[in-house]
Amino acid sequence: MTEKDTPDSAKSSIWGGRFSSGPSQLMQDINASIDYDKRLYRQDIAGSRAHASMLAACGIISESDRDAIHGGLDTIGAEIAAGDFTFSAALEDIHMNIESRLAELIGEPARRLHTARSRNDQVATDFRLWVRELIDSVDEALAGLQAVLLRRAEEHADTLMPGFTHLQTAQPVTFGFHLMAYVEMFGRDRGRFADARARLNESPLGAAALAGTGFPTDRQMTAELLGFDRPMANAMDAVSDRDFALEFLSSAAICAVHMSRLAEEMVIWCSDRFGFIALSDAFTTGSSIMPQKRNPDAAELVRAKPGRIIGALNGLLIVLKGLPLAYGKDMQEDKEGVFDAADALGIALAATTGMVADMTARPENMRAALEQGFPTATDLADYLVRDLGLPFREAHHVSGSIVAIAAGKGCDLDALSLEEMQQVEPRITAAVMDILSCEAAVAMRRSFGGTAPDEVRARIAEARARYGIGAA
Ligand code: ARG
């Protein structure tokens, strides 16, 4: 690679004082972050507005300078929103792009804005504000996903299906019960994001480069103006901390892993072998060669998204590991991973919500699947304990022997005659016939959080109250 000449050999108007020429093209290429950090423009403008208000309130700049700055920032916000803003890589990042445009628009007052501030506290503030908004939108999306799951769970509170362990038929459950497991998982995700938000919500603004400032500033005021709970207590920590990004990414990684489990179940459920659900044309694609195909691509992509998100978490942990305080340019590498993870999480949440709403259950196929795998063998063992007083381990053995007979005959447990069962355990009575059906097995599991339809309905009602999600 050859190092090209200085792009325009222009010194930086922002920091060029002690330089005699501009950076090389390569320096600009590795250094510029504007291509991605322009996503912070609204937050950068909000931070600058608050800073200017505070500088004026503390008598550090005049009120007319503040008004000029506010007016200019409003114009810039409108220009960027309308796509009328020319971003320049020579100006490195969003902070300097905006400040430079502000100088073009309003002249001298723009040059007073950076008093008692540094790009270090500025970027930390912008990024916190951005992640805070992101967390709020993720919470809304998660609540929407829970709402759809609750509706589908209600609809299928009585729909029997096999519950699996090791992906082998275990015990009968209801489809509504199964879906409610995800309502809980996404509820914990919301809790994790909320915890992260609470810790995030302190203001770095006014920490300046790392040591605070000699100007008589009011960090409390800027914190309040930006909706932060308080200013961060240590200026060095304020500019070097990225815990909020790590906490967002780790919460996002766990949430994405949850979605990937549901997505994988959907892939299994809609396979020809299972046929428990069907996804419509809206969430499937065809094959370019096999005309019969309907592929669950959206579910597969949701299943894959944790790759990026976990990758972003790993990436940022590695950037921060061993990084000495305070700011190092390494920290500019904090944003792309978070932006990419945010996009991946957002699309995965939307697609998952869409698929859960879209899927059509096939209760007949779920019921048919219960004819295999002896899903009520545990109920037989429980009956032997309850009605005959056998110790559970012995009951397990007896039930296993009876399953072996049914397996040998190729029939289900409730297709065996009482006599066949009595050959294994003579004390078994006709009452056993009542507990071998899947309907009975499900209805019986009324323990708190169990799969009995009435219990599932009670938990749905309680979850609706807990999450403030009313019935549609
Ligand atoms: N673009 C930089 C970032 O994202 C802004 C902070 C630059 N600070 C500095 N001292 N060079 O981290």
Side-chain angles (χ1 to χ4, degrees):
M1 188 193 286
T2 54
E3 189 176 318
K4 284 179 254 155
D5 287 330
T6 301
D8 49 13
S9 57
K11 294 193 292 171
S12 169
S13 63
I14 310 273
W15 46 254
R18 58 114 59 220
F19 288 74
S20 47
S21 69
S24 68
Q25 180 66 49
L26 249 179
M27 180 61 211
Q28 180 179 299
D29 290 348
I30 193 171
N31 204 34
S33 52
I34 188 62
D35 280 351
Y36 50 89
D37 70 14
K38 59 178 142 194
R39 288 179 74 163
L40 301 175
Y41 86 89
R42 280 190 303 106
Q43 292 73 19
D44 196 70
I45 288 171
S48 289
R49 279 191 73 93
H51 188 65
S53 297
M54 182 278 291
L55 291 176
C58 296
I60 302 167
I61 62 170
S62 69
E63 294 190 345
S64 67
D65 282 351
R66 174 202 59 203
D67 294 344
I69 290 169
H70 282 176
L73 289 171
D74 287 346
T75 304
I76 293 170
E79 285 175 352
I80 299 178
D84 289 342
F85 190 95
T86 312
F87 291 103
S88 152
L91 290 166
E92 268 185 62
D93 57 25
I94 188 62
H95 324 296
M96 299 212 287
N97 269 268
I98 289 180
E99 196 181 316
S100 161
R101 176 70 181 136
L102 189 64
E104 272 173 28
L105 287 170
I106 65 167
E108 216 228 30
R111 304 197 190 286
R112 299 188 189 279
L113 173 60
H114 214 54
T115 315
R117 172 178 93 165
S118 141
R119 274 190 294 156
N120 298 349
D121 56 334
Q122 200 179 348
V123 72
T125 303
D126 295 1
F127 201 21
R128 269 176 197 261
L129 290 172
W130 196 89
V131 173
R132 188 176 73 186
E133 275 182 43
L134 170 66
I135 288 176
D136 291 343
S137 73
V138 167
D139 184 66
E140 209 177 295
L142 276 167
L145 174 53
Q146 284 183 308
V148 175
L149 283 163
L150 282 160
R151 179 164 64 68
R152 303 306 311 260
E154 213 150 44
E155 198 184 313
H156 291 289
D158 297 286
T159 304
L160 294 189
M161 73 180 287
F164 300 95
T165 60
H166 314 269
L167 201 53
Q168 309 287 321
T169 298
Q171 293 176 348
V173 295
T174 71
F175 191 39
F177 172 72
H178 195 131
L179 294 178
M180 284 302 290
Y182 285 100
V183 170
E184 294 302 318
M185 290 150 81
F186 295 128
R188 286 192 297 278
D189 289 333
R190 291 179 70 188
R192 263 181 289 274
F193 283 115
D195 290 348
R197 191 193 194 286
R199 267 185 300 280
L200 164 154
N201 207 31
E202 295 187 344
S203 175
L205 192 57
L210 76 165
T213 176
F215 290 98
T217 54
D218 182 353
R219 290 191 57 208
Q220 192 70 46
M221 177 177 169
T222 44
E224 272 168 33
L225 286 173
L226 294 169
F228 288 115
D229 296 330
R230 62 192 80 82
M232 291 181 77
N234 180 285
M236 192 176 269
D237 178 48
V239 294
S240 52
D241 170 57
R242 292 294 181 273
D243 289 0
F244 63 95
L246 290 175
E247 288 194 46
F248 164 74
L249 288 171
S250 53
S251 305
I254 296 172
C255 178
V257 165
H258 288 161
M259 284 192 281
S260 80
R261 296 181 77 172
L262 177 53
E264 167 62 358
E265 296 206 300
M266 290 183 144
V267 170
I268 293 172
W269 291 341
C270 76
S271 68
D272 297 330
R273 295 285 164 275
F274 274 72
F276 286 5
I277 62 165
L279 289 166
S280 80
D281 295 0
F283 285 95
T284 50
T285 60
S287 157
S288 58
I289 174 170
M290 297 165 284
Q292 85 284 11
K293 293 277 268 182
R294 176 188 285 285
N295 296 325
D297 294 35
E300 292 170 298
L301 287 162
V302 171
R303 185 172 66 183
K305 289 295 181 193
R308 285 167 185 268
I309 299 174
I310 296 166
L313 172 61
N314 273 330
L316 185 54
L317 283 167
I318 293 166
V319 166
L320 294 170
K321 181 200 166 291
L323 196 64
L325 305 190
Y327 179 86
K329 197 65 175 248
D330 315 52
M331 293 172 71
Q332 178 164 288
E333 291 284 313
D334 58 358
K335 285 177 250 348
E336 281 170 292
V338 169
F339 291 157
D340 186 63
D343 294 342
L345 188 70
I347 190 86
L349 281 164
T352 304
T353 307
M355 285 188 290
V356 174
D358 178 81
M359 68 181 176
T360 307
R362 299 266 185 257
E364 61 294 353
N365 293 342
M366 296 181 184
R367 188 71 189 79
L370 283 164
E371 307 300 323
Q372 290 152 27
F374 312 105
T376 56
T378 313
D379 298 272
L380 176 55
D382 286 351
Y383 156 84
L384 297 168
V385 170
R386 219 176 19 245
D387 285 29
L388 305 187
L390 263 57
F392 184 78
R393 283 289 160 230
E394 197 179 324
H396 183 285
H397 193 80
V398 171
S399 177
S401 304
I402 294 172
V403 164
I405 295 174
K409 289 185 67 180
C411 71
D412 209 1
L413 279 181
D414 57 3
L416 290 177
S417 68
L418 180 58
E419 293 69 34
E420 282 169 311
M421 288 189 244
Q422 284 172 333
Q423 272 159 27
V424 179
E425 171 51 67
R427 287 173 290 171
I428 293 178
T429 69
V432 76
M433 293 306 180
D434 296 337
I435 56 100
L436 291 178
S437 78
C438 292
E439 283 72 11
V442 160
M444 188 171 281
R445 289 192 164 71
R446 284 183 298 265
S447 59
F448 185 90
T451 193
D454 285 343
E455 175 58 21
V456 170
R457 276 186 277 268
R459 298 282 68 76
I460 290 173
E462 181 266 328
R464 284 193 183 286
R466 183 160 27 119
Y467 296 115
I469 299 172

